Amino acid sequence: MNTATRWQERLVNGLAIVVTLYGLANVMPAIGDFRLGPFPMEFFRATFFALCVLVVGLGLKGPGGAPASAWLRGVSALAVVVLLVAAQSYYVVSIEIDSAMFLFGPRESAMALAASAAVLFFCWRIWGGAVAGLGVLGVLYLLTGPYWPGPLKTIAGDLHELLAQNLWYSLDTGILGSTFAIVITTVFPFIILGAVLEGVGAGESMIRIAFAMMKRTAGGPAHAAVLASGLFGTVSGSAVANVVGTGVVTIPMIKRRGFTANFAGAVEAAASTGGQIMPPIMGAAALVMADYVGVSYLTIVVAVLVPAVAYYLSLFFMIMFEARRLGIRADASASGVPEPNTQDYLNLLLIFAPLLLIVALLVAGMSASGASISAIALLFPLSFINPSIRQQPMKLVHALRDGGITFAGLLTAIAAVGIVISTLSATGVPVKFGVLMASALEHSMLVALLVVAAGCILLGMGMPTLPAYVTVAAIALPSMQALGLAPLTAHMFVFMIAVASTITPPVAIAAYAAASISGGKPIGTAIQASRIGIMIFLIPFAFAYEPLLLTVAQAGADFTWPRYLALLAQLLLSMYVLASALIGFDRHRLPWWQIAVRLSAAALMFSAQSTLEWLGVVVALASLAGHWGVDVWMFKGKTK
């Protein structure tokens, strides 16, 4: 690394720390009479965006993390200059709009287009073509909408105002609009908290403890991967980060236990994907959901608790049946992971103390951002119980740097989403989609939900969950609420399906990351991950028809304990028979007709009619009783 490159890296690191501290200062709650933020909106959005642009532009790498080529450095430098000028123009024009009548002209529309092109360039380099392509389509549709045929045609207007207002110069729409504001005020503190939680060094302790807890199960390292990824998911809320963080340890051990490479990668991908729905931190999309729905973040946490636990329990079932099918036995000494020591259990305080503080503060009525900042404040002194932090306290500063770099990159994806949402709002596409949904509802509510689910998965391919969720929410949610779903239920449906897109072929980014570690085939791993993680696709349909599964009143169902407990028991039974059917094994191998019976029973239990639900319960129990009865009879026969 030459001297210029080292200085550039130091500059990026310094700017990333400034991004973190500046962003936290803007959302930090008052301490007595002392308060740093919030700063004036126009000034803060322009300056914060400019800082993030510098971090992204100066830190841009080539393919595979290699140094950027000459052309990439040149285009990146040009994009940085364009966005810095655009940020300054945003602030100046915002002041002029506030002080007097202002008419947008060719200069503002050209600046808006240039800023959009520059930010989509960075989005393409960081997140790939899927996210950036949506933004490009949004700009093109905004430009050409009046010339489209039929229902896609939009009303013509002043082109300069249309472009300037909807792409750049607005506090409500565009790249620096309301979505940008929600992400900064709500998501940003949690991303920094996640970075600090990862930086304090409790990850290895979590893995060792998970292996110790699961060493007497047949699935062993596979079950440990599920447990470790669930714990890790409460920290990072990112499927790919979970795969990389825990998979490098768990996947090789799952293979050594006797599972195939595809299955080993699929277990880690499916378990890591669930981290985005695991309370209390979850993924960034859940934080945005609380703002969109207008409920407290604690309500979101309570609502997602049953679906999250059910999903992880279904993974345990899948692994258990696969271990039985392969004849794998428990072997407590085969993991090769050192036994956890006292320090490992002490390190768990670094994870659970901040999480418990967040829950306590949310219950007390504090905002999500205030709770997360309080958790960061607790975590800094608490981290010194870890000897590695005492030896290298700069790890905490590095964690702040990593959080700033992560958020600066995420902001490029949010910019693309802001363009899409503004285009949808300006052109009336959600209303037109509502007409399509209404026609689908004439046939079946199931058909309408399948249309939305397909849109979530298609838009989620290769995209982070947050952009996928926000994009689909802008299009489909008004129509879903028109179907009779409560806002929280509709949002939770879109959120969970968007999360599921990370393991859905053909662009299953979590499965691909796991396959790169396991040595399995990417598509094969994605198919296996979708099979063993099938409950993340089915549970949203279950609570759409029976909102009581979301527990909270805002989901649209009257809470009664008998019905609630019956639903939980029914969900547990359906997961058991579905998992055994998909693996083709229970106490012994299942013949094809028993697989068909169990799949039918599970389908009936997920139906919306109580008569069919109870029929499914009876069929499932009868199938289990017959299977277990045959198993007992065979066992007795062998002992005679």
Side-chain angles (χ1 to χ4, degrees), residues 22 26 39-54 83-95 168-171 175-177 180 184 411:
Y22 187 34
N26 185 66
F39 306 112
M41 284 189 294
E42 295 88 348
F43 175 79
F44 174 75
R45 292 190 195 181
T47 52
F48 188 78
F49 182 80
L51 286 169
C52 290
V53 164
L54 287 170
L83 289 171
L84 291 179
V85 173
Q88 190 268 344
S89 175
Y90 171 87
Y91 177 67
V92 171
V93 170
S94 298
I95 298 300
W168 190 247
Y169 297 97
S170 175
L171 286 173
I175 294 171
L176 300 181
F180 177 89
I184 290 176
L411 213 53

Side-chain angles (χ1 to χ4, degrees), residues 111-190:
M111 183 62 71
L113 284 173
S116 300
V119 79
L120 290 175
F121 164 76
F122 286 131
C123 183
W124 165 58
R125 297 303 307 175
I126 295 172
W127 300 105
V131 190
L134 277 176
V136 171
L137 288 175
V139 174
L140 291 176
Y141 191 48
L142 205 58
L143 283 166
T144 62
Y147 309 105
W148 284 66
L152 295 176
K153 183 176 182 179
T154 61
I155 300 173
D158 186 300
L159 183 61
H160 298 306
E161 182 175 354
L162 184 71
L163 292 174
Q165 187 78 13
N166 289 285
L167 293 179
W168 190 247
Y169 297 97
S170 175
L171 286 173
D172 298 320
T173 59
I175 294 171
L176 300 181
S178 56
T179 304
F180 177 89
I182 290 172
V183 169
I184 290 176
T185 56
T186 306
V187 176
F188 175 73
F190 276 87

Side-chain angles (χ1 to χ4, degrees), residues 208-355:
R208 282 195 285 269
I209 291 169
F211 270 88
M213 294 175 65
M214 296 292 122
K215 65 183 180 182
R216 299 191 184 280
T217 65
H223 282 129
V226 172
L227 182 60
S229 293
L231 291 171
F232 199 83
T234 65
V235 174
S236 72
S238 166
V240 176
N242 287 5
V243 169
V244 174
T246 60
V248 291
V249 176
T250 59
I251 288 175
M253 293 179 181
I254 296 172
K255 290 171 63 180
R256 286 201 293 270
R257 182 56 70 92
F259 295 97
T260 66
N262 283 354
F263 188 83
V267 166
E268 184 58 52
S272 297
T273 294
Q276 296 179 88
I277 61 170
M278 178 57 68
I281 292 183
M282 300 187 282
L287 296 155
V288 176
M289 189 199 310
D291 275 279
Y292 278 2
V293 180
V295 299
S296 69
Y297 184 60
L298 182 63
T299 301
I300 302 293
V301 168
V302 174
V304 83
L305 188 59
V306 168
V309 172
Y311 176 66
Y312 274 101
L313 188 57
S314 73
L315 297 182
F316 271 86
F317 283 149
M318 290 285 187
I319 295 166
M320 178 180 72
F321 292 131
E322 180 71 7
R324 290 180 184 178
R325 187 181 72 83
L326 297 174
I328 297 172
R329 304 293 180 186
D331 186 356
S333 62
S335 72
V337 175
E339 287 290 316
N341 54 35
T342 303
Q343 184 62 49
D344 288 321
Y345 289 104
L346 195 59
N347 284 348
L348 287 186
L349 281 173
L350 302 177
I351 302 298
F352 291 108
L355 299 186

Side-chain angles (χ1 to χ4, degrees), residues 306 310 542-543 545-551 557-575 605-607 613-614 617:
V306 168
F543 63 64
Y545 283 110
E546 186 47 84
L548 187 56
L549 281 174
L550 295 180
T551 309
D558 296 326
F559 186 92
T560 61
W561 276 109
R563 177 58 181 158
Y564 185 67
L565 295 176
L567 275 175
L568 295 184
Q570 182 180 311
L571 182 62
L572 182 64
L573 178 61
S574 65
M575 289 191 300
M605 282 187 281
F606 278 109
S607 68
E613 288 177 1
W614 285 111
V617 170

